């Protein structure tokens, strides 16, 4: 058995540590923030994520499934809120069990940390920032955030789960053949809140992901167990209608009243939340390779940050952990071969997810409001009913299956092509038949 060091104890880090310890490896986990179970700056804020099948499978593998699923708010479909306050519901899946689950980021993080420490005996070091890494020797330069002192931590095999601004990936960028691209969106996001009603219940239907699609921008809301909703406004940074165009509280109030009139009465702290909550950046990151020999491997956002519009970044990161654990098992002592096989297997899927997530932004903020889009979605569901094995809607392939993302994307493109050809063939045959029938009369 080997000695592994995991850098970053966000979402994928503790899960990866559990997988490794479960396989009998010796694991240490290092995290720059303080222990959220003791001291959490976010404890008062409920930021939530959509957890679906791929993520749940990984959680179940390490024995966290039941504990996490006891805390989720299931969502069966989208509820679109038009500007006149009218709503349209659209189920996510084709089967009754097709639900996605709103889960608290903080709660999930704490459950995984508890599991890593208590069940698997992982040693976790908090308040330690990885400042740099030596790709050849595996040595990490760690800053003790309490004292400011730098220390060197020797590693045999290190897994970077240190997120979108990964220190390990930053160092890998100096490798001569390292391929890297980063795209920062013109849109940013801000989290807001719809608190629970006076009786502690949800003020909107909790079993839906609520969307206020407004063409070039949108707001969404996911329910929490305590009766509140976490809302996220996705909006351009610049331009006449943008974050930068808001000069004061009055502008904010006027904008929300105009664009989200049915949400405003449910948001008593809107202006304060808007003023106090940060405006954050959205970006995608692609890179290659995802490993350095048997020294380092990148997992999760460190390898492939995607925009959040398919609700798959965490699910994909959790799937990374599962695949890497499988490769380590398959390749035994040859850790370098396992790292390489993992990167080769996952890179096409991460690239496909990046494209799908970007496309879904346009779908969510704009297309979901159109009748043509809803009609096409209904057609897709009908096609699935008629040919359940041959036609599976893309959303179901991505969210309710374990089909690799790249295969899901290619399969959906094929299905759309074949269905279009089929519909045209049917129309031509029908028109031809009618003409023949008319000519014979
Ligand atoms: C607005 C938004 C909404 C999202 N919604 C969803 C959703 O609904 N569903 C979904 O599946 N995904 C969603 N995602 C994506 C999801 O948040 C990420 O994909 C996921 O958090 C990636 O996990 P990770 O462990 O790779 O990174 P993180 O969760 O970011 O964890 C990285 C950890 O590393 C630590 N760290 C960073 N640098 C260092 C360092 N130098 N030294 C030590 N520690 C370090 C950080 O403190 C952090 O704890 C969303 C993302 C955003 C921005």
């Amino acid at each position: 058995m080997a000695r592994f060091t995991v850098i970053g104890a966000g979402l994928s880090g503790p899960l990866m540590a559990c997988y490794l310890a479960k396989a009998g490896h010796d694991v240490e986990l290092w995290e720059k923030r303080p222990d959220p179970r003791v001291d959490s700056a976010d404890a008062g804020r409920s930021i939530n994520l959509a957890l679906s099948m791929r993520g749940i499978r990984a959680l179940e593998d390490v024995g966290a499934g039941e504990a996490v699923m006891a805390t989720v708010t299931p969502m069966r479909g989208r509820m679109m809120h038009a500007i006149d306050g009218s709503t349209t519901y659209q189920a996510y899946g084709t089967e009754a069990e097709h639900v996605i689950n709103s889960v608290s980021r903080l709660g999930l993080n704490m459950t995984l940390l508890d599991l890593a420490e208590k069940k698997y005996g992982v040693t976790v070091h908090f308040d330690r920032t990885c400042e740099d890494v030596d790709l050849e020797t595996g040595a990490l330069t760690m800053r003790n955030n309490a004292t400011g002192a730098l220390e060197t931590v020797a590693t045999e095999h290190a897994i970077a789960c240190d997120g979108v601004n990964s220190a390990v990936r930053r160092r890998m960028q100096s490798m001569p053949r390292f391929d890297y691209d980063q795209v920062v969106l013109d849109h940013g996001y801000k989290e807001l809140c719809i608190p629970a009603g006076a009786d502690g219940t949800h003020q909107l239907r909790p079993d839906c992901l609520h969307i206020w699609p407004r063409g070039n921008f949108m707001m969404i809301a996911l329910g929490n167990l305590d009766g509140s909703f976490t809302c996220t406004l996705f909006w351009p940074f610049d331009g006449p209608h943008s974050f930068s165009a808001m000069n004061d509280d009055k502008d904010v109030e006027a904008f929300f009243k105009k664009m989200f009139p049915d949400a405003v009465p449910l948001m008593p702290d809107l202006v304060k939340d808007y003023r106090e909550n940060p405006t954050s950046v959205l970006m995608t990151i692609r890179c290659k390779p995802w490993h350095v020999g048997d020294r380092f491997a990148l997992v999760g956002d460190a390898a492939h940050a995607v925009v959040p519009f398919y609700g798959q970044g965490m699910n994909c990161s959790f799937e990374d952990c599962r695949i890497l654990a499988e490769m380590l098992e398959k390749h035994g002592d040859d850790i370098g071969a396992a790292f390489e096989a993992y990167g080769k297997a996952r890179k096409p899927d991460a690239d496909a997810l990046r494209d799908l997530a970007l496309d879904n932004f346009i779908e969510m903020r704009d297309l979901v409001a159109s009748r043509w889009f809803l009609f096409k979605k209904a057609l897709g569901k009908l096609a699935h009913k008629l040919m359940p094995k041959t036609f599976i809607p893309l959303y179901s392939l991505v969210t309710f299956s374990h089909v690799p993302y790249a295969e899901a994307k290619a399969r959906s493109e094929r299905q759309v092509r074949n269905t279009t050809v089929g519909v045209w063939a049917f129309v031509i045959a029908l028109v031809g038949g009618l003409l023949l029938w008319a000519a014979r009369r």
Side-chain angles (χ1 to χ4, degrees):
M1 288 298 124
R3 196 160 67 81
F4 281 89
T5 305
V6 178
I7 307 157
L11 294 179
S12 59
L15 177 72
M16 191 71 239
C18 291
Y19 265 117
L20 292 166
K22 188 180 171 202
H25 300 294
D26 200 10
V27 191
E28 286 201 7
L29 182 52
W30 296 76
E31 165 60 45
K32 76 172 176 188
R33 294 168 308 154
D35 186 342
R37 294 162 300 179
V38 179
D39 168 16
S40 168
D42 282 339
R45 288 175 63 201
S46 181
I47 296 171
N48 48 22
L49 303 150
L51 171 69
S52 52
M53 212 158 162
R54 295 170 201 265
I56 296 170
R57 177 170 174 187
L59 293 171
E60 282 172 349
D61 278 353
V62 299
E66 215 174 294
V68 173
M69 292 311 284
T71 67
V72 304
T73 306
M75 299 179 289
R76 300 189 179 282
R78 296 163 163 162
M79 184 68 82
M80 275 78 76
H81 296 245
I83 205 150
D84 64 3
S86 62
T87 52
T88 314
Y89 175 77
Q90 188 202 15
Y92 272 127
T94 49
E95 319 298 330
E97 68 273 17
H98 282 179
V99 295
I100 59 174
N101 304 281
S102 169
V103 68
S104 148
R105 182 188 284 269
L106 181 68
L108 181 55
N109 186 219
M110 295 199 292
T111 303
L112 287 171
L113 282 169
D114 265 349
L115 193 77
E117 274 185 340
K118 294 183 184 149
K119 179 169 175 184
Y120 292 108
V122 171
T123 309
V124 191
H125 307 267
F126 291 100
D127 262 322
R128 299 288 193 283
T129 302
C130 178
E131 297 282 346
D132 200 1
V133 306
D134 185 323
L135 296 178
E136 223 164 277
T137 64
L140 313 180
T141 307
M142 285 285 180
R143 180 177 300 280
N144 179 330
N145 297 332
T147 63
L150 290 178
E151 54 192 329
T152 302
V153 175
T155 72
E156 281 176 18
H157 314 288
I159 302 194
C161 297
D162 51 347
V164 65
N165 296 310
S166 169
V168 178
R169 192 193 61 235
R170 199 166 57 230
R171 171 53 62 200
M172 285 169 73
Q173 282 172 238
S174 64
M175 295 181 347
R177 292 187 56 207
F178 192 73
D179 189 10
Y180 175 77
D181 85 70
Q182 168 183 314
V183 177
V184 178
L185 264 62
D186 292 336
H187 288 69
Y189 70 95
K190 190 182 276 292
E191 269 146 351
L192 302 164
C193 178
I194 294 180
D199 57 356
T201 57
H202 292 97
Q203 301 201 67
L204 295 168
R205 253 180 79 171
D207 63 340
C208 306
L209 189 152
H210 294 265
I211 310 180
W212 288 260
R214 298 293 181 261
N216 185 34
F217 64 94
M218 67 174 177
M219 183 167 79
I220 64 169
L222 278 75
N224 300 307
L225 275 188
D226 65 1
S228 67
F229 280 85
T230 304
C231 306
T232 314
L233 171 68
F234 295 96
W235 208 22
F237 278 109
D238 299 310
H241 301 288
S242 68
F243 285 114
S244 61
M246 295 289 104
N247 293 320
D248 55 30
D249 294 352
K250 277 196 189 129
D251 284 354
V252 174
E253 223 175 327
F255 164 71
F256 273 80
K257 276 191 176 150
K258 186 170 168 205
M259 290 300 170
F260 312 115
D262 60 333
V264 172
L266 313 178
M267 305 170 87
D269 295 328
L270 167 66
V271 170
K272 181 173 162 284
D273 286 350
Y274 186 95
R275 203 187 313 122
E276 289 177 5
N277 293 350
T279 307
S280 307
V281 168
L282 293 164
M283 66 168 95
T284 58
I285 282 170
R286 274 195 301 194
C287 66
K288 191 175 80 172
W290 287 8
H291 76 294
V292 183
D294 67 351
R295 284 290 188 204
F296 290 95
L298 304 175
V299 162
D301 279 11
H304 52 69
V306 297
V307 289
F309 305 112
Y310 229 112
Q312 284 295 312
M314 163 188 65
N315 289 287
C316 176
S317 304
F318 284 4
E319 201 175 47
D320 285 351
C321 297
R322 176 174 69 79
I323 306 279
L324 178 52
E326 282 172 13
M327 294 300 178
L328 286 165
E329 192 183 347
K330 185 170 161 199
H331 290 272
D333 290 342
D334 195 346
I335 309 277
F339 281 180
E340 185 174 3
Y342 149 76
K344 276 208 173 121
R346 290 302 282 163
K347 167 84 176 139
D349 292 328
D351 287 350
L353 179 60
R354 170 195 183 266
D355 297 344
L356 291 170
L358 284 168
D359 289 350
N360 223 42
F361 188 23
I362 298 166
E363 177 167 324
M364 286 179 83
R365 72 181 197 217
D366 195 4
L367 301 182
V368 289
S370 96
R371 290 220 170 88
W372 174 238
F373 172 83
L374 294 174
F375 172 70
K376 279 201 303 186
K377 282 275 170 190
L379 264 190
K381 283 190 181 163
L382 178 68
H384 174 72
K385 275 228 160 71
L386 298 173
M387 308 170 281
K389 292 229 165 75
T390 338
F391 193 102
I392 302 177
L394 175 61
Y395 191 85
S396 296
L397 284 170
V398 170
T399 312
F400 306 122
S401 91
H402 300 291
V403 172
Y405 294 112
E407 203 181 312
K409 183 168 176 269
R411 182 169 167 179
S412 162
E413 285 160 3
R414 238 177 9 249
Q415 286 178 169
V416 170
R417 244 188 343 261
N418 292 345
T419 314
T420 312
V421 169
V423 168
W424 276 113
F426 175 75
V427 170
I428 290 167
L430 188 72
V431 172
L434 282 174
L435 287 176
L436 208 64
W437 175 76
R440 280 201 181 143
R441 286 192 55 170

